[in-house]
Each structure stands twice: as structure tokens, then as C-alpha cells.
Amino acid sequence: MSTTTTIRRGRPRENRLIEKLGLPSALLWGFVGLLLFMIGDGVESGYIAPYLADNGAGSATNAAVIISVYGLLVTIGSWLAGALSDVWGPRRVMIIGLGLWAVLQVLFLSIALPTQNFTLMLVIYGLRGIAYPLFAYGFLVWVLGASPAHRLGSAVGWFYFAFTGGLPTLGSLVASGSVPLIGPYLTFWVALGLVILGGIITLVGLRKAEGGGRLAAPDVSTGRSLINSVAIAFTNPRVGLGCLVRVVNTAPQFGLFVFFPTIFAEDLGFGTSGWLQLVFVLGAANIFANLFFGVLSDRLGWHRTLRWFGCIGSAVSVLMFYFLPQVAGDQYWVSVLCAALFGVSLAGFTPISVLMSLMAPGQKGNAIAVLNLGAGAATFVGPLIVALFLNLVGGAGVTIIFAALYVLAGVAVRWLRVPEDAQEFIDAGQPLQAPIAGDTN
């Protein structure tokens, strides 16, 4: 038999299957590694605050200070991941993120915690906040640059499936099994091992994949890219508007977490455990919905999915989440259903990452940097709205304000238009890996 008869034509069958699921086959191991990396990063999420309070921070307030500094550095790292990926390339940014996470975790575990030094804990743990965004969001820029334009929604859906599946969902699950067996301190070391394993799988698995190099034009310096990553929100108003839509995406979620625990745990009598179970339901529903809406948006349209399922869906579901359980009283299943619907509708915002990258295809990393700034801003905009209006209009009024913001975001979607030059790449099903003609913003 001739050897030529054994050669398959076209792509291997397994690659075709992977791509039917919306996964870019060349980036498959990147998603696997990202999931492991984020599981490792999420291991500590459920017990880090009380552990710090009991082991050197001195009090719950000091532990909150450490975690707040960590959160601030996460926001900065999220911005840097996009801006630096443009000029250094996503691969280099991810390597730096992995290295920083590992080194700072070792310092945290071998020096800061054993000495129970509050200052060292604040500095080392806080700085580690920069690391995971560099790795994770650097990979997001890679995904957006290397995926076929007509499959961007699916690819982003898989990214958030891996991201949120690890942090905090499966990460907390690992901790729930590990802490009783080996204790919280050794569990931190388990987290380090998972992060390193995930990072190695990603970087080795992507060693031949395209899209990991420099994205910006040769004359763009690092300083210029950092400046552009902020200026683009003003020079390209569509990107700035997209940032605001991203703020609206999760600001109500963080705001609800300020006063909903009292409503569900005390007013409705479900207790703290009942409220925490609702949070888990919301998160679990959101994980799988991210994947669903990513795939759906490629077929239905990114704008339609964002407007109707994300913005309008969230406006309806956030009102249901507040009002229906109070009408139903002790019918806990109603609260579970409302939490799940809210988690699903939040995932309807998945296409905003696609639109942000396409609205400035020549500055993809900078556009994602602005998007990440919006994500970080949401963590304090939501609680700020609650602080300003809760005493004035009560929980019902604040919830209505959040619903109104979602409606306004839905109206704003009409202006998130993709440039004609980028649309040509979409129609051709090609990835947008480099600056294109006409993109000067």
C-alpha cells in the first residue's frame, strides 16, 4: 500500500472537533494551562482574609488593608497586561507574570508569614497582585490576536470559562479538600505548584503558536504604549464608551454584595450559609454561561448578544433578584433561581472584550488595557453607589438604579461600532494580528 494513502487531507479530525467547540486549536494548551494557573491562584480566595488576621496582620481590619492593596495592584496589573502586550508581546508578558507570581509567593511563604511581619505581608502579598493579571490577561490579548475574527466570541467565552472556573470556583474546591488534610499553610504551597504547572503547560503548549510576539508598530516605544493605553479612551471615544459599559457589567454585582447579605441572611432568614450558597450558584451559572454566550454571540451577533442578553437581561434579572425573593418569602428555591439568572445574564457581557479589540485593531493591547481598567473600576463604583444612595432610597431604590444603568448600557451598545477595515477581516474570517490600514486612533 502506498504511504500516501495514509495521509489525511485537511486538518486532523481532532482539530476540527476542537474548532467546532469554538476553541482555537493552536491555543488549546493555553486554555488548559490557564485553568490550572487560575485554580492555583484561587486556592486562597476563600480563607486568605481570616488566615492573615490570625497570622501576623493582627486584626480583620489590617487583613482587609492587605487585601485592598492587593486588589489595587490587581487593577494596575490588569491595565499593564494589555499595554505591555502591545510592545513586548503576550508571551513575554505572561512569562513575567508567571515568574513574579512564583517568586513573590515563595517570599511570602518563606519570609513574610513565618516572621508574621505586617509590613512585609502588605508589600509582598500586595505586589503579587500584579502577577496573575499579567499572565491571564496577556493570554487574553493573545487569544484576541490569534483567533479567527468570526470565532472571537467563542474564544473569549472559553477564556472566561477557564479564568472563572479556576478563580474562585475550582480553586476554592481544592482548598476545601486540602486545608482539612494538610492545613492552610501547606495549601499555599499546593497553590504555588498548581500555578507553576499551569504556567509551564501554557507556555510550552503555545511555543509554536502565532500571535505571541509584538503587536504594535516598530516605532511605538514602551512609554508610548503606556500613554496610549490611557489616551485611547479619549482619542477613540468608542473605546472609552466600551470601558464604561464594562464598568456597568459588574459594578452592580459588587454593589449588591454590600447589602444583599443582610437581606438574605437576616431579613429573609436564610442565614449566612444560605447567602453563601446563593453566591456559589451565581458564580457557577456565570461560568458556563460565559461559554454559552461566547459561542452564541458568534452566531447571533456580538452587539445583539451584548445588548439583549447582557444589558437588558441583567436589568431584568437584578430586579428579580431583589424583589421576587421578598414576595416569595421562605421559598428558597426562588432565591436560587434568581441568583442563577443574574449570573447567566452577567455572562451576556462576554462580547464586550471582542468589540473592544475590534474597535481599535491596531492597538489591541491598549484597548484591552482600557477594558481591564473598567473591570477594576467596577469593584469600587458599585459599593460607592450603595454608599451614596442606600440611606436615601433604600435597597429597592439602589437596585432600580443598577437596573437603569444596565438599560443605559444597552442603549450605548449601538455606538460600539467596528471600523470598516476591521469588518473586512471579520467577513474573511481572518485573525486581526497586526495594525491595519486606516486605524490611526
Side-chain angles (χ1 to χ4, degrees), residues 38-207:
M38 297 313 300
I39 289 174
D41 188 81
V43 162
E44 68 192 30
S45 60
Y47 73 90
I48 183 66
Y51 185 86
L52 291 177
D54 295 337
N55 293 272
S59 66
T61 300
N62 285 344
V65 170
I66 294 173
I67 294 173
S68 296
V69 171
Y70 174 86
L72 175 62
L73 270 295
V74 166
T75 302
I76 294 174
S78 301
W79 163 62
L80 288 174
L84 295 178
S85 289
D86 254 5
V87 288
W88 293 356
R91 188 193 308 274
R92 183 179 174 188
V93 171
M94 292 173 68
I95 292 172
I96 293 172
L98 174 62
L100 277 177
W101 205 104
V103 170
L104 290 169
Q105 181 77 341
V106 170
L107 292 176
F108 180 66
L109 298 180
S110 61
I111 298 177
L113 283 182
T115 61
Q116 297 194 356
N117 186 302
F118 172 75
T119 302
L120 284 177
M121 294 165 71
L122 178 68
V123 172
I124 295 174
Y125 187 77
L127 285 175
R128 212 201 74 194
I130 294 179
Y132 95 71
L134 291 180
F135 184 89
Y137 292 126
F139 181 57
L140 176 59
V141 175
W142 197 334
V143 168
L144 289 167
S147 302
H150 68 289
R151 290 290 182 87
L152 280 172
S154 302
V156 171
W158 278 106
F159 170 85
Y160 283 109
F161 178 82
F163 184 98
T164 58
L167 175 67
T169 311
L170 292 179
S172 297
L173 185 62
V174 169
S176 69
S178 175
V179 170
L181 290 176
I182 62 176
Y185 179 74
L186 290 180
T187 297
F188 285 125
W189 288 100
V190 172
L192 175 63
L194 287 169
V195 164
I196 293 175
L197 177 62
I200 291 174
I201 288 175
T202 297
L203 295 171
V204 172
L206 298 181
R207 67 189 185 281

Side-chain angles (χ1 to χ4, degrees), residues 234-254:
F234 303 96
T235 59
N236 188 333
R238 292 171 298 187
V239 172
L241 184 61
C243 176
L244 294 178
V245 171
R246 179 61 185 86
V247 172
V248 172
N249 177 193
T250 49
Q253 178 184 359
F254 289 109

Side-chain angles (χ1 to χ4, degrees), residues 339-357:
L341 288 175
F342 186 53
V344 168
S345 63
L346 288 176
F349 280 82
T350 297
I352 188 62
S353 298
V354 178
L355 293 174
M356 286 287 279
S357 68

Side-chain angles (χ1 to χ4, degrees), residues 194-270:
L194 287 169
V195 164
I196 293 175
L197 177 62
I200 291 174
I201 288 175
T202 297
L203 295 171
V204 172
L206 298 181
R207 67 189 185 281
K208 296 181 180 180
E210 296 182 356
R214 180 186 175 97
L215 304 174
D219 60 335
V220 177
S221 65
T222 300
R224 177 67 180 276
S225 181
L226 292 174
I227 294 172
N228 288 345
S229 67
V230 176
I232 191 175
F234 303 96
T235 59
N236 188 333
R238 292 171 298 187
V239 172
L241 184 61
C243 176
L244 294 178
V245 171
R246 179 61 185 86
V247 172
V248 172
N249 177 193
T250 49
Q253 178 184 359
F254 289 109
L256 297 182
F257 286 171
V258 174
F259 66 99
F260 265 34
T262 300
I263 293 173
F264 286 92
E266 299 179 12
D267 297 348
L268 294 176
F270 296 139

